[in-house]
Amino acid sequence: MAGVSRKEQRERTHQLLLDATMSCLVEFGHSDTTTQRIQDEAGVSRGALLHHFGSKTELLVAAIHHIADIRVANIDAMIADLGDGPDALRDMVTALRQAMTGPPFQAALELWTASRTDPQLREALLPAERRLGQRIRAVFDEHSGISDPRDSELAFESLLALIRGFEITRNMRSDQRVADLVIDDWIARASAMQD
């Protein structure tokens, strides 16, 4: 590649490997995501993969942070235009639902499940998920209109449980209307908690 420095090429390869890892986690699941599949998906040599990551675990740990960064960016993009008007709560819930879907969330689910029995993954996953959780909580606090700390905590935790649960079971549902009705009910209940 003309005009591309070695540093830029290394960064590009690093990025390709992390993106390929996310894709493989979504397509094959954690147990069938191999370094060979990641290498093939990224279109790099074995030497390039090993230059960047000495083991599958090292690659997955880096992917955890990469996926969390993507998820934070998705949340920030979804909430960029949220206002403070009467629809702020509904708009915020819609934005969070959209941000907590798709390949980055699906890859994170694979890593959550794997981390249950892999202490090294769990150790890497916890700070990334805490950072993401803090960002989501800040968005919630800014746009929910619920100032009572107890009500806010209950509303926040129940919303996350609903959104995550519906996304986890999405592929088993032929009709998403029930999820929408449940979210509408949550919004009505949360609206009653607003100041």
Side-chain angles (χ1 to χ4, degrees):
M1 289 185 187
V4 177
S5 72
R6 290 180 73 79
K7 180 181 178 192
E8 290 169 330
Q9 181 61 34
R10 279 193 304 273
E11 288 171 0
R12 182 176 177 276
T13 300
H14 191 85
Q15 187 73 30
L16 280 171
L17 287 165
L18 294 175
D19 289 340
T21 302
M22 183 172 71
S23 295
C24 288
L25 285 166
V26 172
E27 185 175 350
F28 303 110
H30 174 266
S31 61
D32 288 334
T33 292
T34 63
T35 53
Q36 184 63 52
R37 280 192 164 141
I38 293 167
Q39 175 189 325
D40 293 344
E41 177 75 18
V44 301
S45 68
R46 186 69 169 174
L49 184 144
L50 292 173
H51 174 75
H52 288 271
F53 303 102
S55 68
K56 179 181 175 184
T57 299
E58 188 180 321
L59 177 54
L60 289 175
V61 166
I64 285 169
H65 296 284
H66 176 68
I67 292 165
D69 290 344
I70 291 170
R71 291 176 65 210
V72 167
N74 286 349
I75 289 168
D76 287 345
M78 294 291 177
I79 60 132
D81 296 327
L82 289 184
D84 298 350
D87 293 329
L89 178 66
R90 180 173 294 281
D91 293 346
M92 180 263 303
V93 171
T94 299
L96 288 179
R97 283 182 79 186
Q98 290 172 349
M100 294 176 70
T101 188
F105 185 79
Q106 294 163 351
L109 287 177
E110 288 295 323
L111 293 167
W112 292 351
T113 302
S115 74
R116 186 181 70 78
T117 57
D118 185 328
Q120 210 170 359
L121 281 182
R122 185 172 48 253
E123 185 178 317
L125 191 61
L126 287 174
E129 287 298 322
R130 278 190 198 110
R131 180 170 53 92
L132 181 64
Q134 288 168 347
R135 182 67 187 119
I136 295 168
R137 183 60 197 249
V139 168
F140 182 86
D141 288 344
E142 183 177 346
H143 297 285
S144 71
I146 303 170
S147 62
D148 179 88
R150 186 175 175 279
D151 287 347
S152 180
E153 182 70 19
L154 178 63
F156 177 72
E157 291 298 332
S158 63
L159 178 61
L160 285 187
L162 288 173
I163 292 173
R164 287 174 177 156
F166 285 133
E167 186 59 24
I168 289 168
T169 60
R170 175 185 295 275
N171 67 336
M172 295 179 243
R173 295 179 181 278
S174 58
D175 185 356
Q176 293 300 313
R177 288 180 295 184
V178 171
D180 293 338
L181 290 172
V182 171
I183 292 294
D184 286 345
D185 182 67
W186 181 94
I187 290 170
R189 292 171 189 270
S191 294
M193 297 178 194
Q194 291 179 317
D195 302 327

